[in-house]
Amino acid sequence: MFMSLHESELHKLIDCIVTSHYDDCLDCESCARELDCLAERVAMGAKINDLLPEVATHLCCCRDCFEEFEALVAILRAENSGQLDAIG
Amino acid sequence: MLERNFFIPMTDRSNEQWLAELTGAPDAQARALEDLRHRLQRGIFYYLSRERSDLTHLSGQELGQMAEDLAQDATLRVIDNLDSFRGDSRFTTWATKIAVRLAISDLRRSRYKDFSLDGLTAEGEVLPASTGDTFPANTAPTPENATERADVMLKIERALREALTERQYQALSAVALQDVPLEIVAERLGTNRNALYKLLHDARRKLRQSLEAQGLTTDYMLKLFEE
Ligand SMILES: [Zn+2]
């Protein structure tokens, strides 16, 4: 079976090449270790790039870690704003 | 005495108190475990019900049950990993991180339960001929750049075939083109996510080097295909 590459896929491929970097960047495990601390500060309004640029770089090119980071930030924001109390 | 189902006070323990109680005397431990489980359940329920557009077909009750099961598993995992808590964040944030990872992993596994890497191969024709049917009408190449695009497609095809190993090709196709989570692809490849991330990192770098060696910079490709 042959893959057939459509325009959207071509864009994805180019994007993934563009976001690649030559330097050795953080792996998923190292990223995960920093995620709680980082998410806590981002939920309070800080910018990732100002805090841990190497983690920010990893999050840009790793969808799995990014999804987990976003979920954690969303929960923390809800918690900070009292929305979780409404859940009971 | 408070009815637990009605209201569990989320007394904010310090990190030290959490650790002391979770590893302490049975009564205090049971209370701390229940508070932790409840707290994780709330967070997971919020995430499932408010942040997941793919779960809107489930009822509140179904989501509640999912959140309860996941919180139960997450609490056990937190307890198993207490030694690795470094204290850089609030304890509950760290525990929520573990719960989030578990919940998302679970969702990924159920969504991609039938996914297979079979058929993702660089053998044969990788890219179709770059003719009109590859492009939607509104972005159809102009005659001036049609040849240029076709040429670039051929070079990308060559890079995919020649620069990457079969394993790299499969991984990159699944992750970058089909949007399959790394975690799922790693499982299918019999490796772990960390190792797969590194493999993909190498694959992307090799692909980029191969394209650059053929005279294609990323800026040029972006311009050519994004106009
Ligand atoms: Zn990652």
Side-chain angles (χ1 to χ4, degrees), chain A residues 78 83 86-87, chain B residues 44-53 63:
Chain A
Q83 287 183 77
I87 292 173
Chain B
I44 295 171
F45 181 78
Y46 173 85
Y47 175 66
L48 299 179
S49 59
R50 303 288 288 279
E51 302 284 327
R52 296 289 302 212
S53 56
L63 293 171

Side-chain angles (χ1 to χ4, degrees), chain A residues 18-82:
Chain A
V18 173
T19 54
S20 67
H21 29 83
Y22 287 107
D23 50 321
D24 275 332
C25 84
L26 226 58
D27 58 24
C28 296
E29 275 172 23
S30 318
C31 175
R33 269 198 294 278
E34 309 297 335
L35 224 53
D36 44 339
C37 187
L38 186 66
E40 218 164 57
R41 297 207 238 163
V42 169
M44 300 293 282
K47 298 261 182 296
I48 314 177
N49 271 312
D50 299 341
L51 299 170
L52 292 169
E54 35 336 341
V55 179
T57 307
H58 181 83
L59 292 176
C60 278
C61 65
C62 179
R63 217 167 35 230
D64 284 31
C65 287
F66 185 68
E67 185 179 25
E68 290 155 21
F69 172 72
E70 276 202 318
L72 185 54
V73 171
I75 295 172
L76 294 178
R77 282 195 178 127
E79 190 173 37
N80 294 344
S81 66

Side-chain angles (χ1 to χ4, degrees), chain B residues 1-226:
Chain B
M1 191 169 161
L2 282 171
E3 280 184 49
R4 298 195 69 83
N5 289 341
F6 176 65
F7 177 62
I8 297 172
M10 285 294 162
T11 42
D12 263 340
R13 295 171 173 85
S14 67
N15 287 355
E16 291 71 24
Q17 281 170 321
W18 274 113
L19 291 176
E21 291 181 28
L22 286 169
T23 55
D27 273 8
Q29 187 186 41
R31 266 195 310 275
L33 274 173
E34 179 52 20
D35 285 353
L36 177 64
R37 192 200 58 74
H38 182 252
R39 196 165 182 139
L40 296 178
Q41 185 174 332
R42 272 191 340 179
I44 295 171
F45 181 78
Y46 173 85
Y47 175 66
L48 299 179
S49 59
R50 303 288 288 279
E51 302 284 327
R52 296 289 302 212
S53 56
D54 57 328
L55 300 180
T56 48
H57 62 288
L58 297 177
S59 68
Q61 201 182 359
E62 286 169 311
L63 293 171
Q65 188 60 55
M66 269 174 86
E68 193 178 328
D69 295 344
L70 287 164
Q72 189 68 43
D73 292 348
T75 304
L76 295 175
R77 192 175 288 188
V78 168
I79 299 307
D80 284 346
N81 286 283
L82 277 184
D83 287 349
S84 65
F85 177 58
R86 299 182 306 181
D88 308 343
S89 65
R90 280 179 293 152
F91 175 77
T92 49
T93 303
W94 176 78
T96 304
K97 173 178 78 173
I98 291 175
V100 159
R101 175 95 185 236
L102 188 116
I104 293 181
S105 286
D106 228 58
L107 293 168
R108 285 176 187 145
R109 290 209 181 88
S110 82
R111 179 168 178 191
Y112 289 94
K113 61 182 188 303
D114 299 325
F115 174 76
S116 158
L117 290 168
D118 298 346
L120 292 179
T121 164
E123 295 295 310
E125 186 193 10
V126 179
L127 306 180
S130 175
T131 52
D133 68 323
T134 316
F135 299 94
N138 58 342
T139 55
T142 59
E144 299 84 68
N145 71 17
T147 328
E148 213 176 335
R149 284 188 183 199
D151 179 55
V152 170
M153 294 280 262
L154 283 174
K155 286 179 172 162
I156 293 177
E157 176 183 331
R158 186 193 299 166
L160 282 169
R161 272 199 234 188
E162 293 176 4
L164 305 184
T165 65
E166 183 73 11
R167 198 171 163 84
Q168 284 175 328
Y169 178 82
Q170 284 188 318
L172 196 74
S173 301
V175 173
L177 302 185
Q178 301 194 5
D179 297 330
V180 182
L182 270 77
E183 189 171 19
I184 301 298
V185 177
E187 278 178 7
R188 300 297 189 275
L189 285 172
T191 180
N192 62 48
R193 174 161 139 196
N194 215 39
L196 177 64
Y197 177 79
K198 289 176 186 162
L199 179 139
L200 283 168
H201 185 61
D202 283 348
R204 290 154 71 163
R205 215 156 44 173
K206 277 165 70 181
L207 202 51
R208 184 167 168 168
Q209 280 164 346
S210 164
L211 289 168
E212 283 172 354
Q214 296 185 71
L216 298 180
T217 65
T218 50
D219 280 351
Y220 166 74
M221 289 188 293
L222 278 176
K223 276 207 189 77
L224 184 64
F225 288 97
E226 278 183 358

